[in-house]
């Protein structure tokens, strides 16, 4: 344990008929790390209190934690994990604290047999390049990152803000640095979501670049900018609209198709059959945000149905609880999903 426990009293005095009380003090040896761990004005501890409904009172490099037994143990695991991250030279942001809390909660839900013991330490999947290390912030992200390591074809589907595209690009950058692949190919269908491509200035590349900007952003986050530019010039990194994939065999490459909900059935089949020797393919999208013309079936939705159970393919489904942007984004996604559910139910009744 990174945080040395000075007092541990599981008095098991009931707070209510259903819960037990727990109290202990964690002391962290490095004062500077402890200060970073607790956050400016103790904001990280306040977040622990808010999310886990516990009481966390700092004093110097120690923190007294009290509350429900399960919640206080989750707080202990989260703090230990974050402190270890600081010891390894990392930094902590609010989103990292949120992620540690989610993973600590998930550790209690991962028990499948009564004989299994609860995990004392968190174990999060991570993706590392020379520029940056990214760790899972939700159980679904953890499953996604592990699937990317073991499967040749991975579907990551779910709402915006869950890290589907970012983690896919990070994994591709890691494979390129390892020498596991020779190139990265990033693609998106250039579907007009209420705008008209023809009215955009410039040649074809300049017209479609705005659609591919999220892919560029993720690349620059994982690889130094000058190396990205050189790799694009040399063709080691290729960023192109989906239409440019026809007729090609994509071998020795990490291939990502983003916004796949906007592919047609034929486009999706075309893309899937581009998979060549020693290639990894990652397909991301949100089936609830289809911008195709009315009546045109999404190739992503169809592929998920057709390929269900096919060996070698992993499908990871993200939910609103996996949103790692501002907490309000998760609530927005839930509100829209609820409205769509009501609308679909109304349409079913009208048929």
């Amino acid at each position: 344990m990174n945080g040395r426990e000075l007092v541990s009293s599981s008095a098991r005095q009931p707070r209510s008929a259903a819960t037990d009380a727990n109290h202990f003090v964690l002391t962290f040896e490095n004062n500077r790390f402890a200060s970073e761990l607790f956050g400016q004005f103790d904001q990280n501890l306040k977040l622990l209190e808010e999310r886990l409904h516990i009481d966390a009172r700092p004093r110097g490099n120690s923190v007294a934690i009290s509350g429900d037994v399960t919640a206080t143990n989750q707080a202990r695991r989260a703090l230990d994990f974050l402190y270890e991250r600081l010891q390894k030279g990392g930094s902590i942001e609010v989103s990292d604290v949120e992620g540690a809390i989610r993973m600590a909660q998930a550790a209690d839900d991962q028990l499948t047999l009564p004989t299994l013991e609860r995990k004392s330490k968190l174990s999060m999947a991570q993706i590392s390049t020379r520029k940056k290390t990214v760790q899972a912030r939700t159980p679904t992200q953890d499953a996604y990152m592990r699937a990317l390591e073991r499967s040749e074809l991975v579907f990551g589907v779910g709402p915006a803000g869950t890290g589907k595209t970012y983690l896919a690009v990070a994994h591709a950058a890691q494979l390129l640095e390892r020498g596991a692949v020779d190139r990265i190919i990033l693609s998106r269908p250039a579907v007009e979501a209420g705008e008209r491509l023809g009215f955009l200035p410039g040649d074809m590349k300049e017209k479609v670049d705005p659609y591919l900007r999220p892919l560029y952003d993720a690349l620059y986050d994982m690889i130094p900018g000058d190396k990205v530019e050189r790799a694009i010039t040399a063709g080691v990194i290729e960023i192109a609209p989906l239409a440019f994939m026809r007729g090609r065999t994509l071998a020795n490459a990490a291939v990502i198709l983003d916004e796949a909900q906007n592919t047609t059935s034929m486009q999706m089949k075309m893309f899937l059959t581009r998979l060549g020797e020693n290639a990894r393919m990652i397909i991301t999208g949100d089936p609830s945000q289809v911008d195709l013309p009315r009546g045109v079936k999404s190739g992503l939705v169809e592929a998920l149905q057709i390929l269900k159970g096919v060996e070698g393919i992993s499908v990871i489904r993200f939910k609103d609880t996996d949103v790692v942007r501002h907490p309000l984004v998760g609530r927005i996604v839930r509100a829209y999903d609820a409205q769509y559910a009501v609308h679909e139910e109304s349409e079913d009744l009208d048929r």
Side-chain angles (χ1 to χ4, degrees):
M1 180 185 296
N2 293 312
R4 189 161 48 90
E5 185 177 321
L6 293 185
V7 180
S8 177
S9 118
S10 187
R12 306 191 82 71
Q13 298 172 355
R15 286 171 126 195
S16 66
T19 61
D20 294 330
N22 195 27
H23 172 80
F24 54 81
V25 176
L26 291 178
T27 297
F28 299 91
E29 295 179 358
N30 188 301
N31 291 336
R32 180 170 64 84
F33 288 166
S35 177
E36 291 182 46
L37 177 65
F38 299 163
Q40 188 174 22
F41 304 117
D42 301 323
Q43 64 176 0
N44 296 340
L45 295 181
K46 290 174 183 175
L47 186 58
L48 279 172
E49 290 182 320
E50 180 184 335
R51 295 288 186 268
L52 298 176
H53 308 293
I54 60 167
D55 186 51
R57 300 188 180 184
R59 185 173 182 180
N61 60 339
S62 299
V63 56
I65 298 175
S66 58
D68 173 74
V69 171
T70 299
T72 53
N73 285 331
Q74 289 168 356
R76 183 211 314 265
R77 285 198 293 269
L79 288 172
D80 276 344
F81 172 79
L82 293 169
Y83 185 76
E84 185 175 345
R85 178 170 180 162
L86 291 169
Q87 287 180 311
K88 292 178 179 178
S91 59
I92 294 177
E93 299 176 3
V94 173
S95 56
D96 297 314
V97 181
E98 289 271 14
I101 293 170
R102 291 180 183 184
M103 296 301 290
Q105 291 172 321
D108 284 325
D109 297 332
Q110 288 173 352
L111 300 179
T112 55
L113 296 172
T115 54
L116 291 181
E117 296 181 1
R118 297 193 183 277
K119 297 180 179 179
S120 59
K121 292 186 68 176
L122 295 184
S123 177
M124 298 186 190
Q126 65 179 36
I127 296 172
S128 296
T129 65
R130 291 188 182 93
K131 185 177 179 182
K132 189 171 185 178
T133 295
V134 181
Q135 289 181 316
R137 291 179 177 173
T138 72
T140 309
Q141 280 194 354
D142 185 76
Y144 184 50
M145 293 161 77
R146 296 179 193 279
L148 292 174
E149 280 288 339
R150 69 172 183 268
S151 300
E152 293 177 323
L153 175 56
V154 178
F155 286 86
V157 296
T162 51
K164 305 182 302 294
T165 300
Y166 187 83
L167 293 176
V169 174
H171 180 69
Q174 177 180 255
L175 291 176
L176 185 64
E177 283 194 356
R178 283 181 186 171
V181 297
D182 297 333
R183 55 186 174 147
I184 296 174
I185 300 173
L186 309 175
S187 185
R188 264 188 166 194
V191 173
E192 300 167 354
E195 303 88 3
R196 296 291 177 187
L197 274 172
F199 289 105
L200 293 173
D203 58 19
M204 184 60 181
K205 181 180 183 304
E206 292 169 327
K207 286 177 184 290
V208 300
D209 267 2
Y211 289 83
L212 304 172
R213 179 48 54 187
L215 302 177
Y216 283 105
D217 291 343
L219 267 179
Y220 283 113
D221 229 16
M222 302 305 300
I223 303 174
D226 58 331
K227 290 188 177 181
V228 173
E229 297 297 336
R230 288 200 299 270
I232 291 175
T233 302
V236 174
I237 296 177
E238 180 182 348
I239 304 177
L242 177 60
F244 291 14
M245 298 295 107
R246 189 172 296 278
R248 303 177 60 184
T249 298
L250 308 176
N252 300 308
V255 190
I256 299 172
L257 175 61
D258 191 34
E259 296 290 339
Q261 74 275 5
N262 290 328
T263 60
T264 64
S265 297
M266 292 306 296
Q267 285 176 328
M268 177 60 76
K269 181 181 178 182
M270 178 275 291
F271 183 79
L272 289 169
T273 54
R274 300 308 93 197
L275 187 65
E277 186 177 354
N278 190 41
R280 293 297 184 98
M281 189 172 278
I282 310 166
I283 298 172
T284 66
D286 180 0
S288 72
Q289 293 193 34
V290 177
D291 296 316
L292 293 169
R294 191 175 183 84
V296 178
K297 188 170 185 178
S298 167
L300 174 62
V301 173
E302 183 181 67
L304 291 172
Q305 296 169 345
I306 293 174
L307 301 177
K308 185 177 182 180
V310 174
E311 186 179 353
I313 298 176
S314 294
V315 178
I316 305 298
R317 298 182 184 273
F318 292 83
K319 300 175 289 185
D320 58 88
T321 52
D322 296 303
V323 172
V324 292
R325 291 180 185 165
H326 193 287
L328 184 56
V329 175
R331 296 196 288 273
I332 291 171
V333 171
R334 284 193 290 275
Y336 269 90
D337 285 348
Q339 180 61 33
Y340 288 146
V342 171
H343 180 68
E344 290 174 1
E345 185 177 339
S346 176
E347 285 187 341
D348 291 339
L349 291 174
D350 291 340
R351 287 170 188 162

